[in-house]
Structure formats: C-alpha cells, structure tokens
Amino acid sequence: MRLRTVLASLAAVVMGGALLAPPAASAAATTATIEDSAQGTGVGQVEFSSGWSKCTTNCGLASDNSFRWTSTAGSKLTIRYTGQQITLYGVKEPWATIATAQIDGNAATDVDFYAATSSDETVEVFRSATLPQGTHTLVLTMTDRRNPASAGGSSITFDSAVVTGDDTPVVPAETVVEDTATGTTDGKAEFSSGWSKCTTNCALASDNSFRWTSTAGASVKVRFTGTQITVFGLKEPWSNIATAKIDSNAATDVDYYAATATTETVDVYTSPVLTQGSHTLTLTMTDRRNPASGGGSSITFDSALVVGNGGATEPPAGRDHRSGLPWSDGGWFSHNGSQAKAFGDWRGAPVDNIEAFTDRANWDKQLNSWWGDLSLTGSGFQKATDDFILAVPLWTDDGDEGTDDQWTTLARKIASFDPDGYVRLGWEMNCCFSYARDRDEWRRQYSRAVDLIRAAAPGLKIVFNPNEGVSNNDTIADPRTLFVDGKADVIAIDAYDWWEPYTSDYNVRGVDGDGDGVGHFNKAYGWDFWYDFAQSKGLPFALAEYGVISANVASNHSGADNPTYLTYVYNWLSAKNTAKPGSIEFVSYFNDTDAKGWKSSVYPTTTNPKAAARYKAIITSLKN
C-alpha cells in the first residue's frame, strides 16, 4: 500500500535526552574520482571524441596504470559531473600542446600541458573555479597552439578528474517569497520607490497583500537560491508591459494585460530552468503596453515561487512503515519467521523487512522456495506494508546461468511472497563468491536476469548491491562499472564493523597525509561514495547488510560488542535522510544467531549485550 507520509527530521540519535556517543560528523565536502576508464555520456563519466588513444609503454605513470592521450588538434573530452569544483590530472611533457577547458559553455581557459621535463606521474593540470553545487559539463579541447618552449611533438593527456562538492545532496524544494518579505537578502523582495500596497482589493491575494505601481521604471528585485522562479500578480485591462531579467542576462517582456481583470493573483512570468545557485530577478515596469490595454497603467507583484534547494517542502510520496522509522527497517533472522517476530517484539517496533538467501548450489535447489516459507511463516509479515528481500546469485555455485524459464519461475515465486519485494541480484559482486571477473559478461548476465525478472513480475525491485570498499578476490577493480543504467531500482551496500572497527573518528572519516579519505564513510567506494552514486542515478540508497562482529575479532579486525558502531551507522543514516527525505530505502541488520557464524546478533542480547542495548535505544528514539 502506497501512502503519503511526512518524515520526521532526525538531527541526531538520542538516548535519555543525550547524544549517543560520538556526534554525527559535520557536513564536509564529498570527493569523487572519475577515471579515464569510466567512459560514457552519463554523470560521472568521460566521453572521448575520436583521436584519443590509451597509454601503452608508460601506463605506470598513472596510479591505475591507465590514461589517455591525443595528438590531434580539435580532439575533445567531455565530463558531466555533479559538484562544485573539478580538477583534471594528466602528464606534463616537453612536447605537449595547449588545451582549452570550458565549463557549461562559459568562456574557455587555456591549459598548458608543457613542462621542461616529463612528469614522472600524472599531476594536476587544471582546477576550475568553485561553482554552485549542481550538475555541470566540462569540455577539454586540444588546440594547435603551444608554449614557446614546447617542441618535438604534440599531445595532451587525461588520467582522471577529481570532483568535490557539498556533502548535502541538492533537494528539489519550493519556497514562496511574499511581497511582505522585504529586504535585500536571499528570499526577500526589494522594492524601488513608486510601489504601493493594495487597499480595497487585497483579498485577491491569498495572504490579503500585494503591491502595485503605475510608475514606469519602478522595479522589484528578488534574490533567491534555486533553479527556477515564477512571479504571481494580477492581470488587468489597463496593465502595462514589464521586463523580467535574471542576473545579467537579457530581459524578457512580461505582458500584464488581460481583457478582464483576474479574480486572483496568477502566474505572470516563469523563468527558464537555471543552474542551482544564487540568482537575482529584476522586474521593471515599462511605459509600453499591449495595444488592447487602456484606461490606466499598472503592474503588480504578489509573490514569487522558487523551485530548487531554497526551502523546505513536503517529502515525496512514500510508505508508512510499521516500525515507525523513516525507512523500512528490519534484517536477516536466520531464515526463521518466529525469530523475526521475537526480534520486533524485543525492540518495541515490528520489523519492516525480512531478508533471505536462496540455496545457490544449483538451480534445482534455488527454485525450492523454502527461503520464503521459513523466513516469513510466524513473522507477522504483511505484504501491503512490509518488504521481502531476497539475495539471488547471477550464477549458481556450479556456474549455471539459468534458463529463461528458470528465471521466470524464480521471479514468480518471489512475487508470490511479496509482489513488490526486492531482489539483491548478484549481491556483493566486488567480493568473495562473486563471478564478477569479466565486466562485459557480468553486465550481460545481470541485464538478462533483470529483464526476465521484470517481465515475469513487474512489481519486484532490483537492488544493485556491492560490498563497502575496494574490490577483492580478483573481481572487477571498479565495481561501479558493473552498474547498468535503467536496470536497478535501489543501490545498496553491505558494511560490517571490521577492517577497521568503528571505534574512532579516524576509522570512520579519517584523512591521510595526501588528503585522501581513508575512513568507512569517506574512502574510495565507501558509504558516501555509494550514496552519492545512487543520487547521481536518481535512485535511493539502502544498507542491505550491517552488524557488529564478535567472531574472529583478531583476524577480522572487528570491534566485537561495539555499541559505537551502531551510533555511527544511525547518525549517518539519519543525516542523509534528513537532508533528503526518502533517500534511504531500507536498512537490514544481520542478526546472526549461529554460534559458528559471525556472532553479530543483538537479540537475544547475550552475545553482544552492549550493542543490543544501544540498538534498542536508537530504534526507540527514531520511532515517530
């Protein structure tokens, strides 16, 4: 059942009126790297024109052993990115040429790739100005010009780009600037002389107030932060033409004439869509008029509606979760529905989701639907509100990719338990048991499985679900290249309290001597990376598996019974969801009660009593 809900703001996780251990990290700039190998036309990718070649003998100059070069004047590369600033890295050489860098069609800047001695690694060659947070496009073009000292050849190079931006995602929102909100700051209207307040007809405005002027040259300025502005006023038989000007751009005529006066204030002008940021609208009355206008002179200003990151708005449609939390919150309960019910009773909030895993030994076992029967029976699971989440491999352990009929049957069986459930397809593809060792083959099989699942059970949602951190076990080095546009509904990660444990701010959001993030949240392929990746794809984020780990503490570098881990986790989730309500899709605790397993359970409370107490307190504090 889809319901409209207003999600409560969650500024911090509270226990007994005090913050739970370390406070959430303050907002900081996010950093994302775009490698030359990330090719495409989407956000966070590089589009090369003809004329570019991959490095050969000197690839070791780049940290990832890959960069591109061209000796063809006019060769271009285009990078679409979301952030505030972009820095390009390449090789500087004695024979290099000058390029130009242009952002969003603005004036181009020369980039000189010359150096008297070739750099022994890729270095910074260009850094943009700081721009408004938003999506931008950079075009780098090789010219036939060169530094006077350059000789012996022609080339420019591209290794990577580093994008920095605001940690808070841009949240589409609406805010109203009324004529009564006067001033010279953001969200205010600044009136010149010549304007008067309405008198007898004030009720035509919803707030019983608007301004009017009959003085040619009278103006009003509205400073706003957003992507678009709409002005509301009265249209009348005697009105004049005004001009609307955004920033220093050309003015546009705004005709206030109507054969019959409007009975309320109406839309008189809407700007084009702008780059997210600070802008100024100037509305000025002229002495010109529509040929049909007569009997007087006037224009009016009632209010302006700003769209963008300029104010609060009601969050998008979502669901009411039985837990009372702002996202679907549940977990894995050893394929035992009764345990899921007991877990919800203990924490004082029903579980919203129950995770399960197929038997991945072979397709005959995978199609045995015990994974749904055992996981849901006795749990109190409700199809209308709760989520069944099933992890499904792309290949079974015997290397079988499955027939079309087998995938169709599997999809229908999942839907029989929950028609709008989630499928973690090929989960943890950058780790462990994954077959993700050939990018093209993995993407082919992933796309095939998605298409078959969606055809058989259109309501099921596909989860793209890597592990937190860099790839291992010889899997694809850059797991984001496994993502296929249009073939996922959620992006999730699995992230446990290990390597290194969440016991210090450094382990969580530390920075090394080179300024690179090394903590769980800010490192390469960490929490921030995947959340931002999801945002760039217009998808919600989920925490598909997480938990403390008390097994093999020394070898796992885990935190054992570590309540601080849970504080960091929920502070991060709450901060993201507060910044953009609805951006967290689901959260699933891995409540492993097997004595030979991970020992991650918080219920029963005997294995990790400190973590259990912290977890229960957090859930209690987050409930609506």
Side-chain angles (χ1 to χ4, degrees):
M1 179 181 296
R2 300 292 172 185
L3 302 172
R4 193 164 183 82
T5 181
V6 176
L7 303 177
S9 293
L10 302 170
V13 178
V14 179
M15 181 174 83
L19 283 174
L20 288 175
S26 58
T30 57
T31 302
T33 300
I34 302 171
E35 293 287 352
D36 67 295
S37 53
Q39 295 184 36
T41 59
V43 175
Q45 295 182 310
V46 189
E47 179 185 5
F48 292 96
S49 71
S50 60
W52 290 85
S53 301
K54 190 180 183 301
C55 63
T56 52
T57 56
N58 57 348
C59 296
L61 298 180
S63 59
D64 66 339
N65 295 312
S66 174
F67 67 86
R68 305 277 161 159
W69 67 277
T70 181
S71 60
T72 305
S75 293
K76 299 178 183 291
L77 67 83
T78 302
I79 302 176
R80 298 165 182 88
Y81 64 96
T82 299
Q84 297 173 315
Q85 189 171 55
I86 187 167
T87 303
L88 303 185
Y89 291 83
V91 178
K92 289 201 167 189
E93 300 167 309
W95 48 83
T97 316
I98 291 172
T100 60
Q102 186 180 43
I103 296 180
D104 298 338
N106 295 314
T109 301
D110 277 357
V111 181
D112 192 350
F113 279 80
Y114 169 79
T117 303
S118 296
S119 53
D120 55 8
E121 61 182 351
T122 55
V123 296
E124 178 183 320
V125 295
F126 168 76
R127 183 185 296 260
S128 75
T130 301
L131 307 169
Q133 175 72 20
T135 300
H136 303 282
T137 301
L138 175 140
V139 178
L140 184 75
T141 306
M142 177 173 168
T143 75
D144 57 5
R145 297 181 290 116
R146 63 176 65 243
N147 187 301
S150 175
S154 296
S155 73
I156 64 170
T157 52
F158 175 81
D159 171 37
S160 61
V162 173
V163 177
T164 57
D166 190 334
D167 192 47
T168 304
V170 175
V171 184
E174 295 179 354
T175 187
V176 176
V177 181
E178 293 284 357
D179 69 295
T180 52
T182 58
T184 59
T185 57
D186 195 271
K188 304 289 185 181
E190 178 188 4
F191 292 93
S192 70
S193 60
W195 290 85
S196 301
K197 190 179 183 301
C198 63
T199 53
T200 56
N201 58 348
C202 295
L204 297 179
S206 59
D207 66 340
N208 296 311
S209 175
F210 67 85
R211 307 274 170 146
W212 67 278
T213 182
S214 59
T215 304
S219 65
V220 56
K221 290 184 177 181
V222 180
R223 297 169 179 85
F224 65 96
T225 299
T227 57
Q228 193 169 50
I229 187 168
T230 298
V231 176
F232 292 83
L234 295 175
K235 289 200 168 188
E236 298 166 310
W238 48 83
S239 289
N240 286 46
I241 291 171
T243 60
K245 182 179 179 181
I246 302 289
D247 302 328
S248 59
N249 296 314
T252 301
D253 278 356
V254 180
D255 191 351
Y256 275 82
Y257 168 79
T260 303
T262 56
T263 58
E264 61 183 352
T265 55
V266 296
D267 175 351
V268 295
Y269 166 76
T270 298
S271 76
V273 176
L274 312 166
T275 301
Q276 173 70 28
S278 296
H279 302 283
T280 300
L281 163 76
T282 304
L283 184 74
T284 305
M285 176 170 165
T286 74
D287 57 5
R288 296 181 290 116
R289 64 175 65 241
N290 187 300
S293 175
S297 297
S298 74
I299 66 168
T300 52
F301 179 89
D302 170 34
S303 61
L305 175 68
V306 176
V307 177
N309 197 20
T313 187
E314 185 178 353
R319 287 177 304 166
D320 282 334
H321 304 296
R322 292 196 299 134
S323 67
L325 272 66
W327 48 71
S328 171
D329 196 285
W332 182 72
F333 306 103
S334 301
H335 294 121
N336 186 321
S338 297
Q339 185 186 116
K341 175 65 165 57
F343 185 93
D345 291 343
W346 162 73
R347 73 177 192 168
V351 296
D352 302 306
N353 66 68
I354 295 176
E355 286 196 330
F357 299 79
T358 67
D359 187 333
R360 61 178 182 254
N362 55 57
W363 266 95
D364 286 342
K365 291 186 176 181
Q366 179 153 267
L367 289 175
N368 184 332
S369 59
W370 65 266
W371 32 261
D373 295 321
L374 292 180
S375 297
L376 301 184
T377 301
S379 67
F381 183 83
Q382 298 182 14
K383 288 184 182 180
T385 56
D386 300 343
D387 301 312
F388 181 54
I389 305 170
L390 186 66
V392 177
L394 286 175
W395 289 268
T396 49
D397 288 347
D398 57 357
D400 189 351
E401 67 176 26
T403 66
D404 289 3
D405 286 345
Q406 287 172 327
W407 279 104
T408 297
T409 300
L410 178 62
R412 289 172 178 166
K413 286 190 174 187
I414 301 169
S416 71
F417 293 107
D418 187 7
D420 59 353
Y422 296 87
V423 181
R424 298 168 61 203
L425 191 59
W427 80 107
E428 295 187 356
M429 70 284 293
N430 58 330
C431 173
C432 316
F433 56 85
S434 176
Y435 282 83
R437 293 178 174 85
D438 182 302
R439 173 183 174 273
D440 293 338
E441 180 65 6
W442 197 94
R443 286 165 59 94
R444 178 200 64 79
Q445 172 68 345
Y446 175 85
S447 298
R448 170 179 175 255
V450 171
D451 291 343
L452 291 168
I453 290 170
R454 286 177 170 172
L460 295 181
K461 296 181 285 292
I462 306 299
V463 183
F464 179 83
N465 186 181
N467 251 334
E468 172 212 324
V470 297
S471 299
N472 53 31
N473 295 81
D474 299 320
T475 53
I476 298 299
D478 187 347
R480 66 186 157 180
T481 64
L482 299 174
F483 183 84
V484 182
D485 285 321
K487 304 294 185 183
D489 301 290
V490 181
I491 293 175
I493 61 169
D494 294 1
Y496 289 90
D497 182 31
W498 65 349
W499 297 94
E500 297 295 326
Y502 293 63
T503 51
S504 69
D505 288 340
Y506 182 81
N507 287 355
V508 174
R509 202 178 276 281
V511 177
D512 65 15
D514 295 325
D516 296 325
V518 294
H520 288 281
F521 291 160
N522 64 342
K523 68 183 179 182
Y525 310 110
W527 294 51
D528 291 342
F529 174 91
W530 286 116
Y531 179 89
D532 291 341
F533 185 81
Q535 291 295 291
S536 74
K537 301 297 181 181
L539 299 176
F541 174 89
L543 186 55
E545 288 182 37
Y546 74 107
V548 297
I549 298 179
S550 287
N552 304 318
V553 172
S555 58
N556 289 334
H557 291 230
S558 62
D561 184 11
N562 178 20
T564 304
Y565 165 75
L566 293 163
T567 299
Y568 277 119
V569 166
Y570 276 94
N571 277 348
W572 187 94
L573 291 168
S574 297
K576 295 299 185 187
N577 197 73
T578 298
K580 187 170 185 180
S583 62
I584 304 299
E585 184 84 352
F586 64 82
V587 175
S588 300
Y589 190 86
F590 197 79
N591 195 64
D592 177 22
T593 56
D594 184 354
K596 297 180 181 179
W598 295 65
K599 296 185 179 180
S600 60
S601 63
V602 290
Y603 178 80
T605 62
T606 51
T607 303
N608 297 292
K610 295 177 184 178
R614 180 66 56 81
Y615 175 85
K616 185 174 182 179
I618 291 171
I619 297 301
T620 300
S621 71
L622 285 174
K623 288 192 300 180
N624 293 340

PDB file of all heavy atoms in Angstrom, residues 511-527:
ATOM      1  N   VAL A 511      41.409  11.148   7.244  1.00  0.00           N
ATOM      2  CA  VAL A 511      42.068  11.611   6.025  1.00  0.00           C
ATOM      3  C   VAL A 511      43.560  11.348   6.169  1.00  0.00           C
ATOM      4  O   VAL A 511      44.148  11.621   7.225  1.00  0.00           O
ATOM      5  CB  VAL A 511      41.811  13.114   5.799  1.00  0.00           C
ATOM      6  CG1 VAL A 511      42.566  13.608   4.569  1.00  0.00           C
ATOM      7  CG2 VAL A 511      40.320  13.379   5.648  1.00  0.00           C
ATOM      8  N   ASP A 512      44.196  10.820   5.106  1.00  0.00           N
ATOM      9  CA  ASP A 512      45.623  10.542   5.189  1.00  0.00           C
ATOM     10  C   ASP A 512      46.440  11.786   4.864  1.00  0.00           C
ATOM     11  O   ASP A 512      45.887  12.875   4.638  1.00  0.00           O
ATOM     12  CB  ASP A 512      46.015   9.368   4.288  1.00  0.00           C
ATOM     13  CG  ASP A 512      45.826   9.667   2.794  1.00  0.00           C
ATOM     14  OD1 ASP A 512      45.661  10.849   2.420  1.00  0.00           O
ATOM     15  OD2 ASP A 512      45.854   8.702   2.004  1.00  0.00           O
ATOM     16  N   GLY A 513      47.762  11.618   4.820  1.00  0.00           N
ATOM     17  CA  GLY A 513      48.644  12.755   4.595  1.00  0.00           C
ATOM     18  C   GLY A 513      48.471  13.416   3.244  1.00  0.00           C
ATOM     19  O   GLY A 513      48.854  14.573   3.051  1.00  0.00           O
ATOM     20  N   ASP A 514      47.916  12.704   2.277  1.00  0.00           N
ATOM     21  CA  ASP A 514      47.683  13.265   0.951  1.00  0.00           C
ATOM     22  C   ASP A 514      46.306  13.894   0.815  1.00  0.00           C
ATOM     23  O   ASP A 514      45.916  14.335  -0.271  1.00  0.00           O
ATOM     24  CB  ASP A 514      47.836  12.169  -0.116  1.00  0.00           C
ATOM     25  CG  ASP A 514      49.255  11.634  -0.191  1.00  0.00           C
ATOM     26  OD1 ASP A 514      50.189  12.433   0.006  1.00  0.00           O
ATOM     27  OD2 ASP A 514      49.420  10.425  -0.433  1.00  0.00           O
ATOM     28  N   GLY A 515      45.560  13.892   1.918  1.00  0.00           N
ATOM     29  CA  GLY A 515      44.231  14.478   1.878  1.00  0.00           C
ATOM     30  C   GLY A 515      43.148  13.530   1.383  1.00  0.00           C
ATOM     31  O   GLY A 515      42.017  13.950   1.138  1.00  0.00           O
ATOM     32  N   ASP A 516      43.482  12.244   1.238  1.00  0.00           N
ATOM     33  CA  ASP A 516      42.506  11.264   0.758  1.00  0.00           C
ATOM     34  C   ASP A 516      41.743  10.665   1.926  1.00  0.00           C
ATOM     35  O   ASP A 516      42.316  10.360   2.982  1.00  0.00           O
ATOM     36  CB  ASP A 516      43.202  10.145  -0.021  1.00  0.00           C
ATOM     37  CG  ASP A 516      43.880  10.648  -1.283  1.00  0.00           C
ATOM     38  OD1 ASP A 516      43.334  11.574  -1.905  1.00  0.00           O
ATOM     39  OD2 ASP A 516      44.960  10.119  -1.622  1.00  0.00           O
ATOM     40  N   GLY A 517      40.440  10.466   1.746  1.00  0.00           N
ATOM     41  CA  GLY A 517      39.641   9.840   2.772  1.00  0.00           C
ATOM     42  C   GLY A 517      40.029   8.381   2.961  1.00  0.00           C
ATOM     43  O   GLY A 517      40.239   7.651   1.990  1.00  0.00           O
ATOM     44  N   VAL A 518      40.140   7.950   4.204  1.00  0.00           N
ATOM     45  CA  VAL A 518      40.519   6.572   4.498  1.00  0.00           C
ATOM     46  C   VAL A 518      39.531   5.904   5.446  1.00  0.00           C
ATOM     47  O   VAL A 518      39.717   4.739   5.806  1.00  0.00           O
ATOM     48  CB  VAL A 518      41.939   6.498   5.101  1.00  0.00           C
ATOM     49  CG1 VAL A 518      42.984   6.935   4.088  1.00  0.00           C
ATOM     50  CG2 VAL A 518      42.044   7.343   6.371  1.00  0.00           C
ATOM     51  N   GLY A 519      38.484   6.619   5.861  1.00  0.00           N
ATOM     52  CA  GLY A 519      37.507   6.052   6.773  1.00  0.00           C
ATOM     53  C   GLY A 519      36.375   5.368   6.031  1.00  0.00           C
ATOM     54  O   GLY A 519      36.220   5.499   4.814  1.00  0.00           O
ATOM     55  N   HIS A 520      35.583   4.618   6.769  1.00  0.00           N
ATOM     56  CA  HIS A 520      34.479   3.876   6.156  1.00  0.00           C
ATOM     57  C   HIS A 520      33.540   4.779   5.360  1.00  0.00           C
ATOM     58  O   HIS A 520      33.069   4.400   4.293  1.00  0.00           O
ATOM     59  CB  HIS A 520      33.683   3.140   7.233  1.00  0.00           C
ATOM     60  CG  HIS A 520      34.383   1.967   7.821  1.00  0.00           C
ATOM     61  ND1 HIS A 520      34.450   0.747   7.195  1.00  0.00           N
ATOM     62  CD2 HIS A 520      35.072   1.830   8.981  1.00  0.00           C
ATOM     63  CE1 HIS A 520      35.139  -0.103   7.948  1.00  0.00           C
ATOM     64  NE2 HIS A 520      35.533   0.524   9.038  1.00  0.00           N
ATOM     65  N   PHE A 521      33.279   5.973   5.865  1.00  0.00           N
ATOM     66  CA  PHE A 521      32.323   6.846   5.197  1.00  0.00           C
ATOM     67  C   PHE A 521      32.917   7.566   3.992  1.00  0.00           C
ATOM     68  O   PHE A 521      32.247   7.748   2.982  1.00  0.00           O
ATOM     69  CB  PHE A 521      31.762   7.875   6.177  1.00  0.00           C
ATOM     70  CG  PHE A 521      30.851   7.293   7.236  1.00  0.00           C
ATOM     71  CD1 PHE A 521      30.595   7.991   8.401  1.00  0.00           C
ATOM     72  CD2 PHE A 521      30.261   6.050   7.067  1.00  0.00           C
ATOM     73  CE1 PHE A 521      29.755   7.466   9.371  1.00  0.00           C
ATOM     74  CE2 PHE A 521      29.422   5.508   8.029  1.00  0.00           C
ATOM     75  CZ  PHE A 521      29.168   6.215   9.199  1.00  0.00           C
ATOM     76  N   ASN A 522      34.173   8.001   4.089  1.00  0.00           N
ATOM     77  CA  ASN A 522      34.710   8.901   3.060  1.00  0.00           C
ATOM     78  C   ASN A 522      35.786   8.290   2.167  1.00  0.00           C
ATOM     79  O   ASN A 522      36.340   8.969   1.321  1.00  0.00           O
ATOM     80  CB  ASN A 522      35.282  10.161   3.724  1.00  0.00           C
ATOM     81  CG  ASN A 522      36.470   9.883   4.634  1.00  0.00           C
ATOM     82  OD1 ASN A 522      36.695   8.743   5.045  1.00  0.00           O
ATOM     83  ND2 ASN A 522      37.218  10.916   4.970  1.00  0.00           N
ATOM     84  N   LYS A 523      36.065   7.001   2.300  1.00  0.00           N
ATOM     85  CA  LYS A 523      37.107   6.393   1.469  1.00  0.00           C
ATOM     86  C   LYS A 523      36.554   6.056   0.086  1.00  0.00           C
ATOM     87  O   LYS A 523      35.352   6.162  -0.184  1.00  0.00           O
ATOM     88  CB  LYS A 523      37.629   5.125   2.134  1.00  0.00           C
ATOM     89  CG  LYS A 523      36.604   3.994   2.191  1.00  0.00           C
ATOM     90  CD  LYS A 523      37.162   2.786   2.929  1.00  0.00           C
ATOM     91  CE  LYS A 523      36.130   1.664   3.016  1.00  0.00           C
ATOM     92  NZ  LYS A 523      36.646   0.507   3.775  1.00  0.00           N
ATOM     93  N   ALA A 524      37.447   5.637  -0.801  1.00  0.00           N
ATOM     94  CA  ALA A 524      37.024   5.179  -2.115  1.00  0.00           C
ATOM     95  C   ALA A 524      36.066   4.004  -1.954  1.00  0.00           C
ATOM     96  O   ALA A 524      36.348   3.058  -1.225  1.00  0.00           O
ATOM     97  CB  ALA A 524      38.235   4.761  -2.946  1.00  0.00           C
ATOM     98  N   TYR A 525      34.909   4.081  -2.609  1.00  0.00           N
ATOM     99  CA  TYR A 525      33.869   3.052  -2.551  1.00  0.00           C
ATOM    100  C   TYR A 525      33.329   2.858  -1.131  1.00  0.00           C
ATOM    101  O   TYR A 525      32.870   1.776  -0.768  1.00  0.00           O
ATOM    102  CB  TYR A 525      34.374   1.719  -3.119  1.00  0.00           C
ATOM    103  CG  TYR A 525      35.022   1.850  -4.463  1.00  0.00           C
ATOM    104  CD1 TYR A 525      36.392   1.677  -4.632  1.00  0.00           C
ATOM    105  CD2 TYR A 525      34.266   2.201  -5.584  1.00  0.00           C
ATOM    106  CE1 TYR A 525      36.993   1.828  -5.871  1.00  0.00           C
ATOM    107  CE2 TYR A 525      34.857   2.352  -6.827  1.00  0.00           C
ATOM    108  CZ  TYR A 525      36.226   2.173  -6.956  1.00  0.00           C
ATOM    109  OH  TYR A 525      36.813   2.318  -8.184  1.00  0.00           O
ATOM    110  N   GLY A 526      33.396   3.945  -0.347  1.00  0.00           N
ATOM    111  CA  GLY A 526      32.817   3.913   0.988  1.00  0.00           C
ATOM    112  C   GLY A 526      31.353   4.329   0.965  1.00  0.00           C
ATOM    113  O   GLY A 526      30.721   4.462  -0.082  1.00  0.00           O
ATOM    114  N   TRP A 527      30.799   4.581   2.151  1.00  0.00           N
ATOM    115  CA  TRP A 527      29.378   4.904   2.284  1.00  0.00           C
ATOM    116  C   TRP A 527      28.996   6.148   1.483  1.00  0.00           C
ATOM    117  O   TRP A 527      27.996   6.143   0.760  1.00  0.00           O
ATOM    118  CB  TRP A 527      29.030   5.128   3.750  1.00  0.00           C
ATOM    119  CG  TRP A 527      29.132   3.941   4.635  1.00  0.00           C
ATOM    120  CD1 TRP A 527      30.190   3.081   4.758  1.00  0.00           C
ATOM    121  CD2 TRP A 527      28.133   3.481   5.558  1.00  0.00           C
ATOM    122  NE1 TRP A 527      29.917   2.118   5.699  1.00  0.00           N
ATOM    123  CE2 TRP A 527      28.667   2.346   6.217  1.00  0.00           C
ATOM    124  CE3 TRP A 527      26.878   3.924   5.927  1.00  0.00           C
ATOM    125  CZ2 TRP A 527      27.956   1.656   7.200  1.00  0.00           C
ATOM    126  CZ3 TRP A 527      26.170   3.239   6.900  1.00  0.00           C
ATOM    127  CH2 TRP A 527      26.699   2.124   7.512  1.00  0.00           C
TER     128      TRP A 527
END
